[in-house]
Amino acid sequence: MLNDDLQKAIEKLFPEADRSKALEMVEQMLSSGFQVQTPDQSTAVKQILSRLENSPKRAEAIYEASHRRRKLWLAHPELYRAFAWALTRGGKYAKGYEVATEGHRHFPDDAELLYVRALASRRGGNLKLAARLTRRLIKNPDLTGQLHVDALSLRGKVYKKAMLRTAKDNPQRAVYARKTAENYEHAYNETRDTFPGINAASMWLMADDRDRCRKLASEVLAKEQQAKVPDAYLLWHYATLGEAHLLLEDYDSAIAEYTKLSELPSIGAGDLASMTEQLQLLSEK
């Protein structure tokens, strides 16, 4: 008797006219003692994640192909996390939200999946949903490390998106700019992480508080210049340095950092859109 996976493989590989003969041959081989080796779950997960890492732009296709193995996905939340991140960073916000939401339904205590749900909804423009999910996330007492930084920063991102949707001549735009800056600075003061720090500096510029902007930009620049940065964070390292130099009006240094960023081998469409949005915003000042 063939197991389900082997039967499905034969049905996929052989046309219907040849299928019964192929099944008969395989059954004869198995009855004579031949064994079919299938990878264990951990190996299968590694293979899927390796394909995603090597081809992040094909995240949706790899997801659709591998997601058929439901039992595997239901035992490994890291699959949901990896694909939700890859899709969101690649600009596929709706699909990223869908994957994160499905994963969070199966793993309701996974704070990272809740964060990606909030981030994807914010980037996709659903601010009410993003705000609601962010409030849930921040109430989680188990948030630690980078996820804690990101969760606190996300509140600022929601206000920032609201500001971008408000007309430049509307007084409410300045209110949103100040709220955005305050939330980013709160995240920076709690964590001393340069990501909310540089965003706070930029948003104080948008709120017309140049002194506060320059103070924070100088702090962030000094911290980031002394940091030992792994390759996985080079994108944001160069972006942060470039933005800090820009805020301090050192344009030659800013161009040098953005040039390094542009030479990185892979930049997700979502990340690129986020940085472009930030530069366009700063150009208003």
Side-chain angles (χ1 to χ4, degrees), residues 24-42:
E24 183 182 339
M25 289 175 61
V26 172
E27 285 176 342
Q28 288 176 356
M29 291 169 65
L30 293 175
S31 64
S32 67
F34 182 84
Q35 293 186 345
V36 177
Q37 298 292 330
T38 57
D40 60 27
Q41 282 200 348
S42 62

Side-chain angles (χ1 to χ4, degrees), residues 26 67 91 122 128 132 170 184 217 221 260 275 285:
V26 172
H67 190 242
R122 180 266 173 193
K128 287 185 178 179
R132 189 169 74 246
N170 187 332
Y184 274 127
L221 181 62
K260 293 176 191 174
M275 286 184 283
K285 295 294 182 176

Side-chain angles (χ1 to χ4, degrees), residues 14 79 133 147 169 185 197 234 275:
F14 291 91
L79 288 172
L133 293 172
L147 190 58
D169 58 353
E185 189 166 358
L234 281 176
M275 286 184 283

Side-chain angles (χ1 to χ4, degrees), residues 7-257:
Q7 180 122 7
K8 287 177 183 176
I10 291 171
E11 289 174 358
K12 187 176 180 181
L13 290 170
F14 291 91
E16 190 172 355
D18 300 329
R19 204 169 289 158
S20 59
K21 188 170 182 179
L23 287 168
E24 183 182 339
M25 289 175 61
V26 172
E27 285 176 342
Q28 288 176 356
M29 291 169 65
L30 293 175
S31 64
S32 67
F34 182 84
Q35 293 186 345
V36 177
Q37 298 292 330
T38 57
D40 60 27
Q41 282 200 348
S42 62
T43 301
V45 170
K46 288 177 183 176
Q47 290 172 345
I48 293 169
L49 294 178
S50 177
R51 288 202 296 273
L52 177 63
E53 184 179 353
N54 292 330
S55 303
K57 292 182 180 179
R58 296 190 62 249
E60 190 165 2
I62 298 169
Y63 167 78
E64 296 297 346
S66 64
H67 190 242
R68 297 168 189 163
R69 303 181 65 175
R70 298 287 294 162
K71 290 181 180 178
L72 184 69
W73 280 72
L74 292 177
H76 292 275
E78 66 268 33
L79 288 172
Y80 284 107
R81 291 189 211 111
F83 279 88
W85 271 117
L87 290 161
T88 301
R89 285 172 171 156
K92 303 288 182 68
Y93 308 133
K95 192 66 178 179
Y97 177 81
E98 177 189 318
V99 173
T101 300
E102 181 184 319
H104 195 230
R105 187 168 65 248
H106 297 304
F107 303 98
D109 295 329
D110 195 305
E112 189 170 347
L113 286 170
L114 177 57
Y115 173 78
V116 183
R117 288 180 67 194
L119 179 65
S121 58
R122 180 266 173 193
R123 285 191 175 182
N126 191 335
L127 299 189
K128 287 185 178 179
L129 176 59
R132 189 169 74 246
L133 293 172
T134 301
R135 285 193 295 271
R136 278 180 60 188
L137 185 65
I138 290 172
K139 289 179 182 177
N140 189 328
D142 298 324
L143 283 182
T144 57
Q146 188 61 43
L147 190 58
H148 181 227
V149 175
D150 292 342
L152 290 172
S153 300
L154 189 55
R155 192 162 48 184
K157 291 180 183 181
V158 173
Y159 277 117
K160 180 181 173 185
K161 197 71 172 180
M163 185 200 74
L164 291 170
R165 287 184 169 184
T166 305
K168 295 177 184 178
D169 58 353
N170 187 332
Q172 187 62 32
R173 186 178 173 93
V175 175
Y176 282 136
R178 180 166 288 274
K179 282 184 174 291
T180 305
E182 289 171 347
N183 276 281
Y184 274 127
E185 189 166 358
H186 171 70
Y188 175 64
N189 288 336
E190 280 208 17
T191 64
R192 309 310 292 177
D193 188 273
T194 57
F195 173 76
I198 195 61
N199 279 282
S202 292
M203 295 314 300
W204 281 123
L205 176 65
M206 299 309 300
D208 291 322
D209 192 334
R210 293 179 180 270
D211 290 340
R212 212 160 175 178
C213 163
R214 292 183 67 85
K215 176 180 179 295
L216 283 169
S218 297
E219 284 184 22
V220 167
L221 181 62
K223 285 174 68 72
E224 202 67 26
Q225 285 175 331
Q226 295 169 13
K228 293 181 179 179
V229 183
D231 289 349
Y233 290 96
L234 281 176
L235 172 69
W236 296 110
H237 174 65
Y238 293 142
T240 300
L241 288 172
E243 192 165 334
H245 284 303
L246 194 62
L247 295 173
L248 295 169
E249 300 180 8
D250 181 354
Y251 302 119
D252 288 341
S253 295
I255 291 170
E257 298 299 342

